């Protein structure tokens, strides 16, 4: 028996119709004769969803008891024993009640799939592990129930249940999603249009990524190498040359013409790691430009550049390829078609754009580095060519009759190779010509003339010159490549060090100064007509670009100036790469500073929004109750009995008390944040304050049990503020379970513990509950503004105490108020 197939209905938010769609598919499968059962479905009291259950077989749920309450969960064994063809199981990310076999429902579903049963399930985008923090950032509501992305990605079929934000809000307003008393709070908080739009975009993008994966897998499985234009992907080829920025911007404009198109930049390096035209600094700038335009940068290895480009483009299913027009000279174009034309000829279904640019005016290839060999080696090579040849001739003259001409030619050829190794090609070619003349004059009959009688001697001398020239060229090229490889290795090591510095956030300029032994390195920024120092290492700093020994212009406003020694062209390339990364690091630092500066404003705006939303809701209920009571009492049309009048007065009084407490909390919170809260510390008996607080929690005071030791010392506190703290904490606890209040003296402090056995909160959320206007979860947003715990901690700290939460053994939450003992 094979493994079952998993089908998931994915939604952007609660209420879009995932469960309804799942049940509809189940009913259709049942009508087709498939064996379908409902393993677990949560209707949330929605009438139309409940109607979809009619006619479907429901597997009984498993009964569990936890913390004195009864719960029901999916019965995995019952579903497997029933052996249906399809099981409908809601809420993939659900966390099972403690005591269940698995911690998560997706693990239950995995067991059912392993038994060969197909499963249809549902999940919201906010429950995906990778998007959990993003959703919390958008909505301000943390989601404790998550499912690993890989579990959802492994599904055989994912169907997006989509609904516009406006349509979902209309559904909520009509009472089709939540209970009427929670609609206003939900619409004003989690279900704002902006939140729903962002969640919808996340869901669409995630599903699009899943579709891309499926398409890539299908193409790979069926060996499809051609391009399928399901989505525009524009690849731009970068050489590190001056035309790179022009190409990137042109490719970005091409990509912008298609909604959702991808921009990818690729640089092809040779297999030996050497490239005479790639400028690391230019590549770094171009990479930063690509990423700033929303693209990605890639690097591939290949000696056949057209083939490497097309292999990459085919691998990413690119539809368009952007190349720069050739910078080669006319002769080179005649001898070879070049990368652009070759790529176009081999591109197949990929559109190739050859973009002209300013650099095409300079058609010659960049000259090879003259610094491949040091000046000392070149001088030594010329000395050998001009002096060693006559010395070799003088050494061979005594052996004229004993050595044949081929032997003498081989000795001269050996010397030419030595000259090539030391001084390069031009001294070696000079030595070859000079050796030809010396061999002809001293060793080729007739002697001491330039005439050669024997044709074979002429041929031997000509071959000597040709072989010497070819060997000199090869040896010179090998020597240059060796030196370039060594320099490239050194540059790569420096650049890798640079990358590590950037990742670790260490100072780049100080590292640059150490590497090159510089006196100072200064990053300058233009400020009007003057320059100002942004960052520096060493000293004294450069005050303007002209005061340094070497300067690198990063852009119109940034210049890197170094002092200590002149850097050659090769070192300058690395310096430019450093400069580009320093500029990127500076911009990132400023963005972080701007973000940090904006954070208080964002937090204040978030708090203001939460305050307005919460207060508007929490004011409405007591105001409506008080208004209704007063209007009823004023009405002359109804003859109220004394009992009815007392009840209306009590309702009005209770509502006004709630309003009074809400306003007091808001005022006290504003005084705390402004630092102007007035308090009077004095010796306070804990028993008296606790008894008043218990009496104040009048609605549920019978659920508070007090167990205080008789010898408890007095504490330093403001009795009024301490009472308010205890009332808030007791009132918060009795909403979930009976509360026990205990206290104990520990050295110079007294700890008052308010203990409940309710659902508790996870340890990672212990500090978050003390933020103003915060409630954990989005199910109970109509029970207060969310100021109680924040205000309680603020008041406690104002009395030089502390308020910390901890888990109650066996389940629940314990709030510990610590105050100093009165002395």
């Amino acid at each position: 028996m094979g493994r079952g197939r998993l089908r998931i209905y994915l939604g952007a938010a609660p209420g879009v119709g995932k469960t309804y769609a799942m049940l509809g598919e189940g009913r259709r499968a049942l009508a087709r004769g498939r064996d379908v059962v409902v393993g677990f479905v949560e209707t949330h009291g929605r009438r139309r969803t409940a109607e979809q259950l009619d006619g479907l077989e429901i597997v009984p749920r498993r009964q569990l008891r936890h913390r004195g309450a009864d719960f029901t969960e999916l019965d995995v064994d019952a579903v497997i024993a029933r052996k249906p063809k399809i099981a409908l199981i809601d809420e993939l990310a659900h966390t099972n009640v403690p005591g269940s076999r698995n911690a998560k429902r997706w693990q239950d579903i995995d067991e059912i799939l392993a038994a060969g049963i197909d499963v249809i399930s549902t999940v919201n985008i906010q429950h995906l592990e990778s998007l959990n923090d993003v959703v919390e950032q958008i909505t301000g509501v943390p989601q404790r129930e998550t499912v690993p992305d890989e579990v959802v990605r492994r599904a055989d079929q994912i169907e997006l249940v989509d609904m516009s934000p406006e349509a979902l809000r209309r559904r909520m307003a009509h009472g089709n999603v939540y209970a009427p008393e929670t609609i206003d709070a939900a619409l004003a908080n989690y279900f704002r249009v902006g939140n729903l739009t962002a969640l919808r975009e996340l869901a669409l993008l995630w599903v699009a990524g899943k579709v891309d994966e499926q398409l890539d897998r299908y193409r790979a499985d069926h060996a499809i190498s051609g391009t399928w234009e399901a989505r525009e992907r524009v690849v731009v080829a970068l050489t590190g040359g001056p035309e790179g920025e022009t190409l990137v911007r042109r490719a970005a404009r091409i990509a912008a013409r298609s909604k959702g198109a991808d921009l990818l930049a690729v640089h092809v390096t040779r297999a030996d790691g050497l490239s005479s035209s790639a400028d690391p600094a230019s590549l770094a700038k171009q990479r930063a430009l690509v990423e700033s335009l929303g693209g990605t940068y890639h690097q591939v290895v290949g000696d056949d550049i057209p083939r490497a480009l097309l292999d990459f483009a085919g691998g990413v299913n690119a539809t368009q390829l952007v190349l720069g027009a050739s910078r080669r000279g006319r002769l080179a174009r005649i001898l070879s078609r070049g990368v652009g034309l070759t790529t176009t000829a081999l591109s197949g279904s990929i559109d190739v754009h050859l973009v002209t640019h300013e650099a095409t005016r300079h058609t010659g290839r960049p000259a090879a580095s003259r610094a491949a060999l040091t000046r000392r080696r070149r001088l030594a090579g010329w000395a050998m060519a001009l002096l060693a040849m006559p010395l070799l001739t003088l050494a061979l003259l005594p052996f004229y009759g004993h050595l044949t001409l081929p032997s003498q030619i081989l000795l001269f050829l050996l010397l030419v190779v030595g000259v090539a190794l030391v001084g390069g090609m031009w001294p070696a070619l000079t030595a070859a010509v000079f050796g030809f003349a010396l061999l002809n004059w001293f060793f080729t009959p007739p002697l001491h003339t330039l005439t050669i009688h024997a044709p074979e001697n002429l041929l031997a001398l000509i071959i000597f010159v040709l072989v010497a020239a070819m060997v000199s060229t090869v040896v010179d090229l090998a020597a240059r490549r060796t030196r370039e490889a060594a320099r490239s290795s050194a540059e790569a090591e420096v650049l890798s060090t640079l990358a590590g510095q950037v990742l670790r956030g260490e100072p780049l300029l100080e590292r640059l100064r150490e590497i090159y032994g510089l006196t100072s390195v200064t990053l300058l920024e233009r400020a009007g007509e003057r320059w100002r120092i942004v960052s520096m290492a060493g000293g004294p700093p450069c005050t303007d670009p002209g005061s340094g020994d070497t300067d690198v212009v990063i852009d119109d406003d940034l210049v890197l100036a170094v002092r200590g020694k002149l850097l050659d062209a090769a070192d300058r390339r690395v310096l430019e790469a450093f400069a580009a990364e320093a500029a990127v690091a500076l911009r990132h630092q400023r963005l972080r500073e701007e973000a940090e500066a904006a954070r208080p404003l964002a937090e204040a705006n978030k708090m203001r929004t939460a305050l307005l939303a919460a207060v508007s809701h929490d004011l409405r209920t007591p105001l409506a109750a008080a208004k209704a009571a007063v209007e009823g009492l004023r009405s002359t049309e109804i003859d109220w009995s004394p009992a009815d009048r007392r009840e209306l007065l009590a309702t009005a009084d209770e509502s006004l008390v709630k309003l009074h407490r809400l306003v007091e909390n808001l005022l006290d919170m504003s005084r705390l944040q402004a630092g102007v809260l007035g308090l009077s510390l004095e010796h306070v008996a804990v028993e008296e304050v606790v008894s008043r607080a218990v009496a104040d929690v009048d609605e549920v005071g019978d659920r508070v049990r007090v167990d205080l030791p008789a010898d408890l010392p007095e504490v330093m506190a403001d009795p009024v503020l301490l009472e308010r703290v205890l009332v808030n904490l007791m009132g918060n606890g009795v909403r979930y379970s009976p509360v026990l209040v205990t206290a104990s003296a520990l050295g110079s402090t007294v700890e008052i513990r308010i203990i409940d056995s309710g659902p508790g909160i996870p340890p990672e959320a212990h500090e978050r509950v003390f933020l103003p206007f915060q409630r954990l979860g989005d199910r109970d947003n109509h029970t207060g503004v969310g100021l109680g715990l924040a205000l309680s901690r603020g008041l406690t700290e104002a009395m030089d105490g502390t308020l910390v939460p901890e888990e109650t053994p066996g389940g629940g939450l314990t709030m510990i108020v610590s105050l100093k003992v009165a002395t």
Side-chain angles (χ1 to χ4, degrees):
M1 179 176 57
R3 183 178 175 84
R5 297 174 59 84
L6 175 62
R7 180 173 181 176
I8 294 177
Y9 285 92
L10 174 69
V16 296
K18 302 179 302 300
T19 304
Y20 188 90
M22 178 187 71
L23 293 173
E25 176 61 27
R27 294 173 67 88
R28 288 189 292 274
L30 184 65
R32 293 194 296 267
R34 308 287 296 277
D35 185 11
V36 181
V37 301
V38 175
F40 189 101
V41 167
E42 185 60 67
T43 64
H44 298 289
R46 297 165 190 166
R47 179 179 55 81
R48 294 187 61 192
T49 302
E51 290 173 354
Q52 288 287 87
L53 288 169
D54 292 344
L56 292 174
E57 178 185 347
I58 301 176
V59 176
R61 301 182 183 182
R62 184 184 178 194
Q63 301 290 328
L64 293 170
R65 188 168 185 81
H66 178 64
R67 294 178 179 172
D70 293 324
F71 297 91
T72 61
E73 290 289 359
L74 169 67
D75 193 333
V76 179
D77 294 329
V79 173
I80 294 176
R82 169 63 178 74
K83 294 183 180 179
K85 184 60 180 175
I86 300 174
L88 308 181
I89 303 174
D90 208 4
E91 298 182 356
L92 181 70
H94 172 75
T95 301
N96 293 331
V97 173
S100 302
R101 181 161 62 197
N102 297 311
K104 292 285 190 176
R105 181 164 294 163
W106 65 263
Q107 295 169 321
D108 295 338
I109 291 176
D110 194 61
E111 287 191 27
I112 296 172
L113 291 171
I117 301 171
D118 294 344
V119 174
I120 304 178
S121 188
T122 64
V123 72
N124 279 331
I125 196 70
Q126 70 263 27
H127 296 301
L128 295 180
E129 187 67 49
S130 65
L131 298 177
N132 185 257
D133 56 341
V134 178
V135 174
E136 181 178 353
Q137 224 175 17
I138 294 170
T139 64
V141 177
Q143 296 291 337
R144 285 183 284 175
E145 293 186 333
T146 60
V147 59
D149 288 45
E150 186 58 29
V151 173
V152 183
R153 289 189 185 278
R154 285 201 305 264
D156 299 281
Q157 187 175 347
I158 297 177
E159 185 168 336
L160 178 66
V161 182
D162 189 31
M163 180 177 289
S164 69
E166 293 77 12
L168 179 55
R169 286 171 61 85
R170 283 196 299 272
R171 286 198 67 201
M172 295 194 63
H174 294 158
N176 295 331
V177 179
Y178 286 160
E181 64 270 15
T182 65
I183 292 175
D184 290 341
L187 289 175
N189 290 280
Y190 190 90
F191 288 85
R192 295 196 297 269
V193 173
N195 289 358
L196 295 177
T197 303
L199 293 175
R200 188 186 188 197
E201 182 176 16
L202 282 177
L204 290 170
L205 290 174
W206 195 92
V207 172
K210 170 68 175 177
V211 172
D212 274 346
E213 290 178 8
Q214 292 176 335
L215 179 60
D216 291 342
R217 191 182 308 119
Y218 180 85
R219 283 163 50 85
D221 292 343
H222 292 78
I224 299 173
S225 58
T227 300
W228 285 9
E229 298 186 15
R231 181 176 181 177
E232 288 286 351
R233 284 187 175 85
V234 182
V235 173
V236 54
L238 301 178
T239 64
E243 75 281 359
E245 294 187 9
T246 302
L247 299 183
V248 170
R249 291 191 173 92
R250 180 62 182 273
R253 290 196 296 272
I254 294 173
R257 294 170 189 163
S258 300
K259 183 68 175 177
D262 293 333
L263 173 64
L264 302 92
V266 60
H267 171 65
V268 180
T269 59
R270 288 172 38 169
D272 57 9
L274 303 176
S275 177
S276 59
S277 61
D279 184 348
S282 296
L283 281 175
K285 291 180 182 178
Q286 291 160 18
R287 177 174 186 168
L289 177 60
V290 169
E291 292 173 350
S292 70
L293 294 173
T296 57
Y297 178 85
H298 307 267
Q299 190 162 316
V300 297
V301 177
D303 289 325
D304 186 349
I305 294 178
R307 179 54 59 191
L309 287 175
L310 291 173
D311 287 346
F312 175 81
V316 298
N317 198 25
T319 56
Q320 304 190 59
L321 181 60
V322 178
L323 304 174
S326 176
R327 289 183 277 128
R328 301 182 309 145
R330 295 180 181 177
L331 179 61
R333 295 179 189 179
I334 294 173
L335 297 175
S336 171
R337 290 193 301 178
V339 173
L341 294 178
T342 304
T343 305
T344 303
L346 300 175
S347 62
S349 59
I350 300 176
D351 297 334
V352 179
H353 302 264
L354 287 177
V355 179
T356 58
H357 47 85
E358 189 67 21
T360 55
R361 297 182 181 181
H362 311 289
T363 56
R365 288 184 61 83
S369 173
R370 295 179 181 270
L373 298 175
T374 63
R375 185 170 182 271
R376 178 178 296 181
R377 286 186 60 177
R378 293 198 303 273
L379 290 176
W382 283 110
M384 287 179 64
L386 299 176
L387 299 178
M389 283 293 178
L391 293 176
L392 178 60
T393 303
L394 291 175
L396 292 178
L397 283 176
F399 303 98
Y400 172 70
H402 304 284
L403 292 175
T404 62
L405 181 61
S407 299
Q408 294 161 341
I409 288 175
L410 287 176
L411 292 173
F412 272 80
L413 181 60
L414 180 62
L415 182 57
V416 171
V417 172
V419 172
L421 287 172
V422 174
M425 180 175 64
W426 291 111
L429 291 178
T430 302
V433 175
F434 194 16
F436 174 87
L438 291 173
L439 284 167
N440 186 9
W441 186 270
F442 289 104
F443 303 105
T444 306
L447 300 180
H448 309 303
T449 67
L450 296 178
T451 305
I452 303 174
H453 285 173
E456 62 272 14
N457 292 340
L458 176 61
L459 179 62
L461 290 176
I462 292 174
I463 292 175
F464 160 73
V465 174
L466 293 177
V467 171
M470 289 187 291
V471 171
S472 300
T473 303
V474 172
V475 170
D476 176 73
L477 181 61
R480 289 176 181 274
R481 288 298 187 189
T482 301
R483 186 170 180 84
E484 288 176 5
R487 175 168 289 279
S488 297
S489 176
E491 289 182 0
E493 184 177 351
V494 171
L495 292 175
S496 66
T497 302
L498 165 65
Q501 299 280 120
V502 174
L503 291 174
R504 293 190 297 271
E506 298 175 7
L508 293 177
L509 302 189
E510 179 61 30
R511 183 61 176 163
L512 177 61
R513 190 185 69 82
E514 293 175 357
I515 289 174
Y516 289 105
L518 301 170
T519 304
S520 68
V521 181
T522 310
L523 184 62
L524 299 168
E525 185 176 34
R526 190 187 300 276
E529 298 298 323
R530 305 180 62 184
W531 293 89
R532 68 183 185 89
I533 298 174
V534 176
S535 180
M536 61 163 292
C542 301
T543 55
D544 60 79
S547 62
D549 294 317
T550 304
D551 63 88
V552 173
V553 178
I554 303 171
D555 54 34
D556 294 338
D557 297 321
L558 286 175
V559 173
L560 185 70
V562 302
R563 178 179 289 170
K565 66 178 181 180
L566 290 172
L567 299 179
D568 60 26
D571 289 335
R572 185 182 175 88
R573 295 201 317 169
V574 180
L575 182 66
E576 290 173 349
F578 262 96
E581 292 298 335
V584 171
L586 174 63
R587 295 187 185 102
H588 286 175
Q589 177 186 346
R590 289 182 172 173
L591 287 174
R592 285 195 298 271
E593 291 173 353
E594 291 175 5
E596 288 299 325
R599 191 186 303 277
L601 297 176
E603 291 295 332
N605 184 59
K606 182 178 178 181
M607 183 176 293
R608 189 180 300 112
T609 303
L611 171 63
L612 291 174
V615 170
S616 66
H617 179 270
D618 288 311
L619 283 174
R620 186 177 303 170
T621 302
L623 275 176
K627 182 180 179 182
V630 172
E631 287 179 350
L633 289 171
R634 292 183 60 189
S635 175
T636 59
E637 298 177 0
I638 303 175
D639 186 15
W640 299 104
S641 66
D644 291 336
R645 297 181 70 85
R646 284 194 299 272
E647 184 175 350
L648 288 173
L649 287 172
T651 300
D653 180 64
E654 179 185 338
S655 300
L656 292 174
V657 168
K658 289 182 178 179
L659 285 175
H660 178 69
R661 287 179 178 171
L662 173 61
V663 173
E664 275 192 336
N665 283 344
L666 290 172
L667 289 175
D668 284 343
M669 179 57 68
S670 64
R671 292 189 189 107
L672 275 174
Q673 292 181 341
V676 294
L677 180 69
L679 73 160
S680 175
L681 297 181
E682 57 186 71
H683 292 215
V684 174
V686 175
E687 300 90 338
E688 296 178 3
V689 179
V690 169
S691 63
R692 290 199 302 268
V694 172
D696 200 21
V697 187
D698 50 358
E699 294 182 86
V700 289
D702 57 335
R703 300 188 68 193
V704 179
R705 185 165 62 89
V706 179
D707 183 12
L708 300 178
D711 57 347
L712 198 65
E714 293 183 334
V715 297
M716 290 298 297
D718 185 312
V720 177
L721 297 185
L722 179 57
E723 181 181 343
R724 291 194 58 193
V725 170
L726 297 178
V727 167
N728 280 337
L729 297 178
M730 293 179 193
N732 190 63
V734 296
R735 289 164 51 195
Y736 305 105
S737 72
V739 169
L740 171 65
V741 181
T742 66
S744 60
L746 296 173
S748 60
T749 62
V750 170
E751 290 186 350
I752 306 173
R753 294 175 176 264
I754 296 88
I755 306 169
D756 69 62
S757 56
I761 57 176
E764 61 270 15
H766 278 179
E767 288 303 312
R768 196 165 65 244
V769 296
F770 291 106
L771 297 176
F773 317 114
Q774 297 292 314
R775 303 185 186 94
L776 293 182
D778 60 345
R779 299 182 179 178
D780 186 17
N781 285 340
H782 60 281
T783 54
V785 182
L787 274 175
L789 292 179
L791 183 60
S792 298
R793 171 171 276 190
L795 295 177
T796 304
E797 291 177 349
M799 294 183 290
D800 201 19
T802 60
L803 172 60
V804 294
E806 70 175 24
E807 294 185 45
T808 302
L813 184 67
T814 298
M815 288 291 183
I816 305 172
V817 180
S818 299
L819 296 169
K820 291 184 178 180
V821 173
T823 57

